[in-house]
Amino acid sequence: MEKKNIDWANLGFGYMQCDQRYVAEYKDGKWSEGQLTEEASITMNECAGVLQYAQTCFEGLKAYTTEEGHIVTFRPDLNAARMKDSCLRLEMPVFDEQRFVDAVCETVLANEAYVPPYGSGATLYIRPYMFGINPVIGVKPADEYQFRIFTTPVGPYFKGGAKPLTLCVSDFDRAAPHGTGHVKSGLNYAMSLHAIVSAHKNGYDENMYLDPATRTKVEETGGANFIFITKDQKVVTPKSDSILPSITRRSLIYVAEHYLGLKVEEREVLLEEVKDFAECGLCGTAAVISPVGKIVDHGTEICMPSGMNEMGPVTKKLYDTLTGIQMGRVEAPEGWIQIIK
């Protein structure tokens, strides 16, 4: 299929409407068969559950063109499993995990012309999401839902690409103890908007959120998990019940241990020890890995030894290996790559 006439190399991380999207409806206790549609607008009642009580969750993954010309996506089964967890926590009906993967493939294939070519630096972002759509005025779960998937071609999540970021330690909490920080619910991101707008106004790229109970431990940013490298090249990631279990982070830990031979450790990370790390990065579907050069804690600067000019050496190896797997340059572990075409 002929590609769309898009300036792939200069894409930002924004929405561009593609031709097709997937829709399935939940009514009377069961899901409809699901289908593709050209209609991008959604019509709902003013009292829809999603509008009144924010009953919605979503996922994010990408499709790539590999070096050999295949269109693939990365570990969609884990996105399906994570969305199941989100639905259970929010009292929403689970969309079958295999149907989820099949719907992702069907939607990407229908928008093949928007999948960026290999080497362009761009990808096709895939957004599956679900929401309560019937009128709900009492505080209770909706009875009817829509599961939808749209796609959009995107460039780097952060404008600077691989340029190290500057973060600030936030005064806000991203999630509550025993709350919904561990699932991908829309309400978590609504809560973070004021914090990120405030950070940007003050010249920072992102927030570093601390644990809500003691405010002494590193959790995550508004849209990515942390990954740290010690001075003896050990990979450390924060452990907490209130952060989102990132598929990218999970994959990087495996890559570090099994491809690069590095020691890995998932544990609580105290803010006071961040100054002792050699490298720091943010990892997630959108960012992959974005290096962090500086963290500002209420006027006190924590400058990473890796500097403000480029990724640290271990972060760079992790990035190159994982993107190599995604793009087909490095052999992938079994089951990681879903070939769409």
Side-chain angles (χ1 to χ4, degrees), residues 8 11-18 20-21 57-65 71-74 79 82 100 104 107-109 111 114-116 121-129 148-157 184 189 222-224 244 247-248 284-288 340:
W8 306 107
L11 278 174
F13 198 89
Y15 173 72
M16 178 186 297
Q17 185 173 313
C18 295
Q20 301 280 344
R21 67 272 312 132
C57 62
F58 68 95
E59 276 298 322
L61 61 161
K62 291 178 176 179
Y64 315 84
T65 302
I71 295 175
V72 305
T73 190
F74 182 71
N79 292 96
R82 190 168 65 181
F100 177 104
V104 164
T107 309
V108 171
L109 196 57
N111 294 292
Y114 292 91
V115 180
T123 55
L124 186 73
Y125 187 77
I126 308 162
R127 171 56 59 85
Y129 61 110
R148 301 176 69 102
I149 303 175
F150 69 80
T151 60
T152 182
V154 298
Y157 185 71
K184 207 165 176 66
Y189 295 83
L244 189 71
I247 294 165
T248 303
T285 297
V288 186
I340 298 173

Short mmCIF file of all heavy atoms in Angstrom, two decimals, residues 8 11-18 20-21 57-65 71-74 79 82 100 104 107-109 111 114-116 121-129 148-157 184 189 222-224 244 247-248 284-288 340:
data_model
loop_
_atom_site.label_atom_id
_atom_site.label_comp_id
_atom_site.label_asym_id
_atom_site.label_seq_id
_atom_site.Cartn_x
_atom_site.Cartn_y
_atom_site.Cartn_z
N TRP A 8 7.58 12.49 7.65
CA TRP A 8 7.78 11.57 8.76
C TRP A 8 8.88 12.04 9.72
O TRP A 8 8.74 11.90 10.94
CB TRP A 8 8.15 10.18 8.23
CG TRP A 8 7.20 9.60 7.24
CD1 TRP A 8 7.40 9.47 5.88
CD2 TRP A 8 5.89 9.06 7.50
NE1 TRP A 8 6.31 8.88 5.30
CE2 TRP A 8 5.36 8.62 6.25
CE3 TRP A 8 5.13 8.91 8.64
CZ2 TRP A 8 4.12 8.04 6.14
CZ3 TRP A 8 3.87 8.34 8.54
CH2 TRP A 8 3.37 7.91 7.29
N LEU A 11 7.71 14.75 12.43
CA LEU A 11 6.50 14.57 13.21
C LEU A 11 6.76 14.83 14.69
O LEU A 11 7.80 14.44 15.23
CB LEU A 11 5.98 13.13 13.06
CG LEU A 11 5.15 12.79 11.82
CD1 LEU A 11 4.86 11.29 11.81
CD2 LEU A 11 3.85 13.58 11.80
N GLY A 12 5.81 15.48 15.34
CA GLY A 12 5.84 15.58 16.78
C GLY A 12 4.98 14.49 17.39
O GLY A 12 4.50 13.60 16.68
N PHE A 13 4.77 14.55 18.70
CA PHE A 13 3.90 13.57 19.35
C PHE A 13 2.52 14.22 19.47
O PHE A 13 2.18 14.82 20.50
CB PHE A 13 4.44 13.15 20.72
CG PHE A 13 3.82 11.87 21.22
CD1 PHE A 13 4.39 10.65 20.91
CD2 PHE A 13 2.66 11.89 21.97
CE1 PHE A 13 3.83 9.46 21.35
CE2 PHE A 13 2.08 10.71 22.42
CZ PHE A 13 2.66 9.50 22.11
N GLY A 14 1.74 14.11 18.40
CA GLY A 14 0.41 14.72 18.36
C GLY A 14 -0.56 13.83 17.60
O GLY A 14 -0.18 12.79 17.05
N TYR A 15 -1.81 14.27 17.56
CA TYR A 15 -2.87 13.47 16.94
C TYR A 15 -3.03 13.83 15.47
O TYR A 15 -3.16 15.00 15.11
CB TYR A 15 -4.19 13.70 17.67
CG TYR A 15 -5.39 13.05 17.01
CD1 TYR A 15 -5.57 11.68 17.03
CD2 TYR A 15 -6.36 13.83 16.36
CE1 TYR A 15 -6.67 11.08 16.43
CE2 TYR A 15 -7.46 13.25 15.76
CZ TYR A 15 -7.62 11.87 15.80
OH TYR A 15 -8.71 11.29 15.20
N MET A 16 -3.00 12.82 14.62
CA MET A 16 -3.32 12.95 13.20
C MET A 16 -4.37 11.89 12.89
O MET A 16 -4.12 10.70 13.06
CB MET A 16 -2.08 12.75 12.32
CG MET A 16 -2.36 12.83 10.82
SD MET A 16 -0.90 12.41 9.81
CE MET A 16 0.23 13.72 10.28
N GLN A 17 -5.53 12.30 12.44
CA GLN A 17 -6.61 11.35 12.21
C GLN A 17 -6.29 10.40 11.07
O GLN A 17 -5.95 10.82 9.97
CB GLN A 17 -7.91 12.10 11.92
CG GLN A 17 -9.12 11.19 11.78
CD GLN A 17 -10.42 11.96 11.66
OE1 GLN A 17 -10.66 12.88 12.43
NE2 GLN A 17 -11.25 11.61 10.68
N CYS A 18 -6.39 9.11 11.34
CA CYS A 18 -6.21 8.09 10.31
C CYS A 18 -7.57 7.67 9.75
O CYS A 18 -8.61 8.11 10.21
CB CYS A 18 -5.45 6.90 10.90
SG CYS A 18 -3.76 7.28 11.40
N GLN A 20 -9.22 4.65 9.56
CA GLN A 20 -10.08 3.65 10.18
C GLN A 20 -9.80 3.55 11.68
O GLN A 20 -8.69 3.78 12.15
CB GLN A 20 -9.85 2.28 9.54
CG GLN A 20 -10.10 2.22 8.05
CD GLN A 20 -11.59 2.10 7.73
OE1 GLN A 20 -12.40 1.77 8.59
NE2 GLN A 20 -11.95 2.34 6.48
N ARG A 21 -10.85 3.18 12.45
CA ARG A 21 -10.69 2.87 13.85
C ARG A 21 -11.62 1.70 14.19
O ARG A 21 -12.56 1.42 13.47
CB ARG A 21 -10.99 4.06 14.76
CG ARG A 21 -12.39 4.56 14.82
CD ARG A 21 -12.75 5.60 13.76
NE ARG A 21 -11.74 6.63 13.72
CZ ARG A 21 -11.18 7.06 12.59
NH1 ARG A 21 -11.56 6.57 11.42
NH2 ARG A 21 -10.28 7.99 12.62
N CYS A 57 -10.53 3.77 30.91
CA CYS A 57 -9.13 3.35 30.97
C CYS A 57 -8.60 3.24 29.55
O CYS A 57 -9.37 3.22 28.58
CB CYS A 57 -8.97 2.03 31.72
SG CYS A 57 -9.82 0.62 30.96
N PHE A 58 -7.29 3.17 29.42
CA PHE A 58 -6.70 3.13 28.07
C PHE A 58 -5.37 2.41 28.10
O PHE A 58 -4.81 2.12 29.16
CB PHE A 58 -6.55 4.54 27.51
CG PHE A 58 -5.52 5.40 28.19
CD1 PHE A 58 -4.23 5.50 27.70
CD2 PHE A 58 -5.85 6.12 29.34
CE1 PHE A 58 -3.28 6.30 28.32
CE2 PHE A 58 -4.91 6.93 29.98
CZ PHE A 58 -3.62 7.02 29.47
N GLU A 59 -4.86 2.15 26.91
CA GLU A 59 -3.54 1.58 26.72
C GLU A 59 -2.79 2.37 25.65
O GLU A 59 -3.38 3.20 24.96
CB GLU A 59 -3.63 0.11 26.32
CG GLU A 59 -3.79 -0.84 27.48
CD GLU A 59 -2.63 -0.80 28.44
OE1 GLU A 59 -1.46 -0.68 27.98
OE2 GLU A 59 -2.85 -0.89 29.66
N GLY A 60 -1.50 2.11 25.53
CA GLY A 60 -0.70 2.75 24.49
C GLY A 60 0.37 1.79 24.02
O GLY A 60 1.09 1.20 24.83
N LEU A 61 0.45 1.59 22.73
CA LEU A 61 1.51 0.77 22.14
C LEU A 61 1.80 1.29 20.74
O LEU A 61 1.14 2.24 20.28
CB LEU A 61 1.13 -0.71 22.12
CG LEU A 61 -0.10 -1.19 21.34
CD1 LEU A 61 0.01 -2.71 21.09
CD2 LEU A 61 -1.39 -0.94 22.11
N LYS A 62 2.78 0.72 20.08
CA LYS A 62 3.20 1.25 18.78
C LYS A 62 3.34 0.14 17.74
O LYS A 62 3.60 -1.01 18.08
CB LYS A 62 4.56 1.97 18.90
CG LYS A 62 4.51 3.26 19.70
CD LYS A 62 5.92 3.86 19.79
CE LYS A 62 5.92 5.19 20.49
NZ LYS A 62 7.28 5.76 20.61
N ALA A 63 3.19 0.55 16.49
CA ALA A 63 3.51 -0.32 15.36
C ALA A 63 4.72 0.25 14.64
O ALA A 63 4.89 1.48 14.56
CB ALA A 63 2.32 -0.44 14.40
N TYR A 64 5.57 -0.64 14.13
CA TYR A 64 6.83 -0.25 13.51
C TYR A 64 6.98 -0.93 12.16
O TYR A 64 6.42 -2.00 11.92
CB TYR A 64 8.03 -0.69 14.37
CG TYR A 64 7.92 -0.43 15.84
CD1 TYR A 64 7.23 -1.31 16.68
CD2 TYR A 64 8.50 0.69 16.40
CE1 TYR A 64 7.13 -1.07 18.04
CE2 TYR A 64 8.41 0.94 17.76
CZ TYR A 64 7.74 0.05 18.58
OH TYR A 64 7.64 0.28 19.92
N THR A 65 7.77 -0.32 11.30
CA THR A 65 8.24 -0.99 10.09
C THR A 65 9.65 -1.48 10.37
O THR A 65 10.53 -0.70 10.73
CB THR A 65 8.25 -0.05 8.88
OG1 THR A 65 6.93 0.47 8.67
CG2 THR A 65 8.70 -0.80 7.63
N ILE A 71 5.51 -5.02 9.09
CA ILE A 71 4.83 -4.16 10.06
C ILE A 71 4.56 -5.01 11.29
O ILE A 71 3.94 -6.07 11.21
CB ILE A 71 3.51 -3.61 9.49
CG1 ILE A 71 3.80 -2.68 8.30
CG2 ILE A 71 2.74 -2.84 10.57
CD1 ILE A 71 2.55 -2.19 7.60
N VAL A 72 5.06 -4.53 12.44
CA VAL A 72 4.96 -5.32 13.67
C VAL A 72 4.51 -4.42 14.82
O VAL A 72 4.56 -3.19 14.73
CB VAL A 72 6.31 -5.97 14.04
CG1 VAL A 72 6.84 -6.80 12.89
CG2 VAL A 72 7.34 -4.91 14.45
N THR A 73 4.10 -5.05 15.89
CA THR A 73 3.89 -4.34 17.14
C THR A 73 4.58 -5.12 18.25
O THR A 73 4.96 -6.29 18.07
CB THR A 73 2.39 -4.12 17.44
OG1 THR A 73 2.25 -3.23 18.54
CG2 THR A 73 1.69 -5.42 17.75
N PHE A 74 4.77 -4.46 19.39
CA PHE A 74 5.65 -4.96 20.45
C PHE A 74 4.85 -5.39 21.67
O PHE A 74 4.21 -4.57 22.32
CB PHE A 74 6.65 -3.86 20.80
CG PHE A 74 7.68 -4.25 21.84
CD1 PHE A 74 8.68 -5.15 21.52
CD2 PHE A 74 7.63 -3.70 23.10
CE1 PHE A 74 9.64 -5.50 22.47
CE2 PHE A 74 8.59 -4.03 24.06
CZ PHE A 74 9.59 -4.94 23.74
N ASN A 79 -0.15 -5.48 26.93
CA ASN A 79 -1.12 -4.38 26.98
C ASN A 79 -2.51 -4.91 27.25
O ASN A 79 -3.28 -4.31 28.02
CB ASN A 79 -1.11 -3.59 25.67
CG ASN A 79 0.18 -2.84 25.44
OD1 ASN A 79 1.07 -3.33 24.75
ND2 ASN A 79 0.29 -1.65 26.01
N ARG A 82 -2.73 -5.82 30.91
CA ARG A 82 -2.78 -4.64 31.77
C ARG A 82 -4.13 -3.94 31.68
O ARG A 82 -4.65 -3.44 32.68
CB ARG A 82 -1.65 -3.67 31.40
CG ARG A 82 -1.48 -2.54 32.41
CD ARG A 82 -0.20 -1.78 32.17
NE ARG A 82 -0.20 -1.08 30.88
CZ ARG A 82 0.82 -0.36 30.42
NH1 ARG A 82 1.94 -0.26 31.13
NH2 ARG A 82 0.76 0.25 29.25
N PHE A 100 -8.41 -8.42 21.97
CA PHE A 100 -7.66 -7.16 22.04
C PHE A 100 -6.51 -7.17 21.03
O PHE A 100 -6.35 -6.23 20.23
CB PHE A 100 -7.14 -6.97 23.47
CG PHE A 100 -6.30 -5.75 23.69
CD1 PHE A 100 -6.82 -4.65 24.34
CD2 PHE A 100 -4.97 -5.71 23.29
CE1 PHE A 100 -6.04 -3.51 24.58
CE2 PHE A 100 -4.18 -4.59 23.52
CZ PHE A 100 -4.72 -3.49 24.16
N VAL A 104 -6.13 -4.90 17.61
CA VAL A 104 -4.96 -4.04 17.37
C VAL A 104 -4.39 -4.31 15.98
O VAL A 104 -4.14 -3.38 15.20
CB VAL A 104 -3.88 -4.27 18.45
CG1 VAL A 104 -2.54 -3.70 18.00
CG2 VAL A 104 -4.31 -3.65 19.77
N THR A 107 -6.73 -3.04 13.19
CA THR A 107 -6.74 -1.58 13.07
C THR A 107 -5.46 -1.07 12.42
O THR A 107 -5.50 -0.16 11.57
CB THR A 107 -6.91 -0.94 14.47
OG1 THR A 107 -8.03 -1.52 15.12
CG2 THR A 107 -7.13 0.56 14.34
N VAL A 108 -4.32 -1.62 12.80
CA VAL A 108 -3.06 -1.20 12.19
C VAL A 108 -3.05 -1.52 10.71
O VAL A 108 -2.67 -0.70 9.87
CB VAL A 108 -1.86 -1.88 12.89
CG1 VAL A 108 -0.57 -1.62 12.11
CG2 VAL A 108 -1.74 -1.38 14.32
N LEU A 109 -3.50 -2.73 10.35
CA LEU A 109 -3.51 -3.13 8.95
C LEU A 109 -4.43 -2.22 8.13
O LEU A 109 -4.11 -1.88 6.99
CB LEU A 109 -3.97 -4.59 8.84
CG LEU A 109 -3.68 -5.30 7.51
CD1 LEU A 109 -2.20 -5.28 7.18
CD2 LEU A 109 -4.19 -6.73 7.56
N ASN A 111 -4.88 0.82 8.62
CA ASN A 111 -4.22 2.12 8.50
C ASN A 111 -2.76 1.98 8.07
O ASN A 111 -1.91 2.80 8.43
CB ASN A 111 -4.31 2.87 9.83
CG ASN A 111 -5.73 3.23 10.19
OD1 ASN A 111 -6.35 4.06 9.54
ND2 ASN A 111 -6.27 2.59 11.23
N TYR A 114 -0.40 4.75 7.02
CA TYR A 114 0.09 5.70 8.02
C TYR A 114 1.24 5.14 8.86
O TYR A 114 1.76 5.84 9.73
CB TYR A 114 -1.05 6.11 8.96
CG TYR A 114 -2.13 6.94 8.32
CD1 TYR A 114 -3.24 6.33 7.75
CD2 TYR A 114 -2.04 8.33 8.28
CE1 TYR A 114 -4.26 7.09 7.15
CE2 TYR A 114 -3.03 9.10 7.69
CZ TYR A 114 -4.14 8.48 7.13
OH TYR A 114 -5.13 9.23 6.55
N VAL A 115 1.62 3.90 8.63
CA VAL A 115 2.74 3.32 9.38
C VAL A 115 4.04 3.91 8.80
O VAL A 115 4.33 3.70 7.63
CB VAL A 115 2.77 1.79 9.28
CG1 VAL A 115 3.95 1.23 10.08
CG2 VAL A 115 1.46 1.19 9.79
N PRO A 116 4.80 4.65 9.59
CA PRO A 116 6.01 5.30 9.05
C PRO A 116 7.01 4.29 8.51
O PRO A 116 7.12 3.17 9.00
CB PRO A 116 6.57 6.04 10.27
CG PRO A 116 5.38 6.26 11.15
CD PRO A 116 4.54 5.03 10.98
N GLY A 121 12.40 7.40 12.02
CA GLY A 121 12.36 7.90 13.39
C GLY A 121 10.96 8.04 13.94
O GLY A 121 10.76 8.41 15.10
N ALA A 122 9.95 7.76 13.12
CA ALA A 122 8.55 7.86 13.54
C ALA A 122 7.95 6.47 13.70
O ALA A 122 8.49 5.48 13.19
CB ALA A 122 7.75 8.68 12.53
N THR A 123 6.81 6.41 14.39
CA THR A 123 6.10 5.16 14.60
C THR A 123 4.60 5.42 14.50
O THR A 123 4.17 6.57 14.47
CB THR A 123 6.41 4.54 15.98
OG1 THR A 123 6.11 5.52 16.99
CG2 THR A 123 7.87 4.13 16.08
N LEU A 124 3.82 4.35 14.46
CA LEU A 124 2.37 4.49 14.51
C LEU A 124 1.93 4.20 15.95
O LEU A 124 2.05 3.08 16.42
CB LEU A 124 1.68 3.53 13.54
CG LEU A 124 0.16 3.73 13.44
CD1 LEU A 124 -0.17 5.01 12.67
CD2 LEU A 124 -0.51 2.54 12.77
N TYR A 125 1.43 5.22 16.62
CA TYR A 125 0.96 5.06 17.98
C TYR A 125 -0.44 4.47 17.96
O TYR A 125 -1.28 4.88 17.15
CB TYR A 125 0.96 6.40 18.70
CG TYR A 125 0.66 6.29 20.18
CD1 TYR A 125 1.63 5.85 21.07
CD2 TYR A 125 -0.60 6.61 20.68
CE1 TYR A 125 1.37 5.74 22.43
CE2 TYR A 125 -0.87 6.52 22.03
CZ TYR A 125 0.12 6.08 22.91
OH TYR A 125 -0.16 5.97 24.24
N ILE A 126 -0.70 3.51 18.85
CA ILE A 126 -1.98 2.80 18.90
C ILE A 126 -2.61 3.06 20.26
O ILE A 126 -1.98 2.82 21.30
CB ILE A 126 -1.77 1.29 18.70
CG1 ILE A 126 -0.94 1.01 17.44
CG2 ILE A 126 -3.11 0.56 18.64
CD1 ILE A 126 -0.34 -0.39 17.40
N ARG A 127 -3.85 3.56 20.26
CA ARG A 127 -4.52 3.89 21.52
C ARG A 127 -5.82 3.09 21.67
O ARG A 127 -6.87 3.48 21.16
CB ARG A 127 -4.81 5.39 21.56
CG ARG A 127 -5.70 5.89 22.71
CD ARG A 127 -5.19 5.52 24.08
NE ARG A 127 -3.88 6.03 24.38
CZ ARG A 127 -3.63 7.25 24.87
NH1 ARG A 127 -4.60 8.10 25.08
NH2 ARG A 127 -2.39 7.59 25.14
N PRO A 128 -5.77 1.93 22.34
CA PRO A 128 -7.00 1.24 22.74
C PRO A 128 -7.57 1.91 23.99
O PRO A 128 -6.82 2.29 24.90
CB PRO A 128 -6.54 -0.19 23.05
CG PRO A 128 -5.11 -0.26 22.58
CD PRO A 128 -4.59 1.12 22.65
N TYR A 129 -8.87 2.03 24.08
CA TYR A 129 -9.48 2.64 25.26
C TYR A 129 -10.91 2.15 25.43
O TYR A 129 -11.53 1.64 24.50
CB TYR A 129 -9.42 4.16 25.20
CG TYR A 129 -10.14 4.81 24.03
CD1 TYR A 129 -11.31 5.56 24.21
CD2 TYR A 129 -9.65 4.70 22.73
CE1 TYR A 129 -11.96 6.17 23.15
CE2 TYR A 129 -10.29 5.30 21.66
CZ TYR A 129 -11.45 6.04 21.87
OH TYR A 129 -12.10 6.63 20.81
N ARG A 148 -12.67 0.95 21.97
CA ARG A 148 -12.27 1.54 20.69
C ARG A 148 -10.75 1.53 20.56
O ARG A 148 -10.02 1.51 21.56
CB ARG A 148 -12.80 2.97 20.55
CG ARG A 148 -14.31 3.09 20.64
CD ARG A 148 -14.78 4.54 20.59
NE ARG A 148 -14.57 5.13 19.28
CZ ARG A 148 -15.53 5.32 18.37
NH1 ARG A 148 -16.78 4.93 18.61
NH2 ARG A 148 -15.26 5.88 17.21
N ILE A 149 -10.28 1.58 19.32
CA ILE A 149 -8.85 1.73 19.03
C ILE A 149 -8.70 2.73 17.91
O ILE A 149 -9.33 2.60 16.85
CB ILE A 149 -8.20 0.40 18.59
CG1 ILE A 149 -8.39 -0.69 19.65
CG2 ILE A 149 -6.71 0.61 18.32
CD1 ILE A 149 -7.88 -2.06 19.21
N PHE A 150 -7.87 3.75 18.12
CA PHE A 150 -7.47 4.61 17.01
C PHE A 150 -5.95 4.62 16.91
O PHE A 150 -5.25 4.19 17.84
CB PHE A 150 -8.04 6.03 17.13
CG PHE A 150 -7.47 6.86 18.24
CD1 PHE A 150 -6.23 7.50 18.11
CD2 PHE A 150 -8.17 7.06 19.42
CE1 PHE A 150 -5.71 8.27 19.13
CE2 PHE A 150 -7.66 7.84 20.45
CZ PHE A 150 -6.42 8.45 20.30
N THR A 151 -5.45 5.07 15.79
CA THR A 151 -4.01 5.14 15.56
C THR A 151 -3.64 6.54 15.10
O THR A 151 -4.48 7.27 14.56
CB THR A 151 -3.55 4.12 14.50
OG1 THR A 151 -4.22 4.40 13.26
CG2 THR A 151 -3.86 2.70 14.92
N THR A 152 -2.39 6.89 15.28
CA THR A 152 -1.88 8.17 14.80
C THR A 152 -0.37 8.09 14.64
O THR A 152 0.32 7.57 15.54
CB THR A 152 -2.26 9.32 15.75
OG1 THR A 152 -1.78 10.57 15.21
CG2 THR A 152 -1.69 9.12 17.14
N PRO A 153 0.20 8.54 13.52
CA PRO A 153 1.66 8.53 13.38
C PRO A 153 2.28 9.60 14.27
O PRO A 153 1.76 10.73 14.36
CB PRO A 153 1.87 8.84 11.89
CG PRO A 153 0.63 9.55 11.46
CD PRO A 153 -0.48 9.03 12.30
N VAL A 154 3.37 9.25 14.94
CA VAL A 154 3.99 10.17 15.88
C VAL A 154 5.51 10.17 15.75
O VAL A 154 6.11 9.19 15.30
CB VAL A 154 3.62 9.84 17.35
CG1 VAL A 154 2.12 9.97 17.58
CG2 VAL A 154 4.10 8.44 17.73
N GLY A 155 6.09 11.28 16.19
CA GLY A 155 7.53 11.38 16.35
C GLY A 155 7.90 11.22 17.81
O GLY A 155 7.13 10.64 18.59
N PRO A 156 9.04 11.75 18.24
CA PRO A 156 9.49 11.60 19.63
C PRO A 156 8.51 12.24 20.62
O PRO A 156 7.91 13.29 20.33
CB PRO A 156 10.84 12.32 19.65
CG PRO A 156 11.28 12.35 18.23
CD PRO A 156 10.04 12.45 17.41
N TYR A 157 8.37 11.62 21.79
CA TYR A 157 7.46 12.15 22.82
C TYR A 157 7.99 13.47 23.38
O TYR A 157 7.24 14.42 23.56
CB TYR A 157 7.32 11.12 23.95
CG TYR A 157 6.32 11.51 25.00
CD1 TYR A 157 4.96 11.50 24.73
CD2 TYR A 157 6.73 11.88 26.28
CE1 TYR A 157 4.02 11.86 25.70
CE2 TYR A 157 5.81 12.23 27.26
CZ TYR A 157 4.47 12.22 26.95
OH TYR A 157 3.55 12.57 27.91
N LYS A 184 -4.07 1.89 34.39
CA LYS A 184 -3.97 2.98 33.42
C LYS A 184 -5.35 3.62 33.24
O LYS A 184 -6.01 3.47 32.21
CB LYS A 184 -3.41 2.45 32.09
CG LYS A 184 -2.67 3.51 31.29
CD LYS A 184 -1.85 2.85 30.19
CE LYS A 184 -1.17 3.88 29.30
NZ LYS A 184 -0.15 4.68 29.99
N TYR A 189 -4.31 10.58 34.98
CA TYR A 189 -3.66 11.56 34.12
C TYR A 189 -4.32 12.94 34.27
O TYR A 189 -3.64 13.96 34.18
CB TYR A 189 -3.67 11.06 32.68
CG TYR A 189 -2.83 9.81 32.54
CD1 TYR A 189 -3.36 8.56 32.85
CD2 TYR A 189 -1.50 9.87 32.18
CE1 TYR A 189 -2.59 7.41 32.79
CE2 TYR A 189 -0.71 8.73 32.11
CZ TYR A 189 -1.26 7.50 32.42
OH TYR A 189 -0.48 6.37 32.37
N GLY A 222 4.78 11.78 35.31
CA GLY A 222 3.39 11.76 34.90
C GLY A 222 3.10 10.76 33.81
O GLY A 222 1.96 10.31 33.66
N GLY A 223 4.11 10.35 33.04
CA GLY A 223 3.86 9.45 31.92
C GLY A 223 4.93 8.41 31.67
O GLY A 223 4.96 7.80 30.61
N ALA A 224 5.82 8.19 32.63
CA ALA A 224 6.90 7.22 32.41
C ALA A 224 7.46 6.74 33.73
O ALA A 224 7.37 7.42 34.76
CB ALA A 224 8.02 7.85 31.56
N LEU A 244 2.57 2.60 37.75
CA LEU A 244 2.09 1.78 36.64
C LEU A 244 3.16 0.75 36.24
O LEU A 244 4.32 1.12 36.06
CB LEU A 244 1.76 2.68 35.44
CG LEU A 244 1.05 1.98 34.29
CD1 LEU A 244 -0.38 1.65 34.67
CD2 LEU A 244 1.06 2.86 33.05
N ILE A 247 5.41 -1.75 30.54
CA ILE A 247 5.84 -2.84 29.67
C ILE A 247 7.25 -2.57 29.16
O ILE A 247 8.08 -3.48 29.05
CB ILE A 247 4.84 -3.03 28.52
CG1 ILE A 247 3.48 -3.51 29.10
CG2 ILE A 247 5.36 -4.02 27.48
CD1 ILE A 247 2.33 -3.39 28.14
N THR A 248 7.54 -1.31 28.89
CA THR A 248 8.88 -0.94 28.44
C THR A 248 9.90 -1.21 29.54
O THR A 248 10.97 -1.76 29.29
CB THR A 248 8.93 0.53 28.02
OG1 THR A 248 7.96 0.77 27.00
CG2 THR A 248 10.30 0.91 27.49
N GLY A 284 9.06 4.32 28.82
CA GLY A 284 7.65 4.08 28.56
C GLY A 284 7.44 3.89 27.08
O GLY A 284 8.35 4.10 26.27
N THR A 285 6.22 3.51 26.70
CA THR A 285 5.93 3.27 25.29
C THR A 285 6.22 4.49 24.44
O THR A 285 6.84 4.42 23.38
CB THR A 285 4.45 2.87 25.11
OG1 THR A 285 4.23 1.64 25.80
CG2 THR A 285 4.10 2.69 23.64
N ALA A 286 5.75 5.65 24.91
CA ALA A 286 5.91 6.87 24.12
C ALA A 286 7.37 7.31 24.05
O ALA A 286 7.88 7.66 22.99
CB ALA A 286 5.04 7.98 24.70
N ALA A 287 8.05 7.30 25.20
CA ALA A 287 9.40 7.84 25.26
C ALA A 287 10.48 6.79 24.93
O ALA A 287 11.59 7.16 24.56
CB ALA A 287 9.66 8.39 26.66
N VAL A 288 10.18 5.49 25.04
CA VAL A 288 11.16 4.40 25.00
C VAL A 288 12.11 4.61 26.19
O VAL A 288 11.88 4.13 27.27
CB VAL A 288 11.91 4.30 23.67
CG1 VAL A 288 12.80 3.06 23.67
CG2 VAL A 288 10.93 4.24 22.50
N ILE A 340 2.29 -8.15 11.97
CA ILE A 340 0.98 -7.79 11.42
C ILE A 340 0.94 -8.00 9.92
O ILE A 340 -0.04 -8.46 9.35
CB ILE A 340 0.63 -6.34 11.78
CG1 ILE A 340 0.55 -6.21 13.32
CG2 ILE A 340 -0.67 -5.89 11.13
CD1 ILE A 340 0.38 -4.79 13.81
#
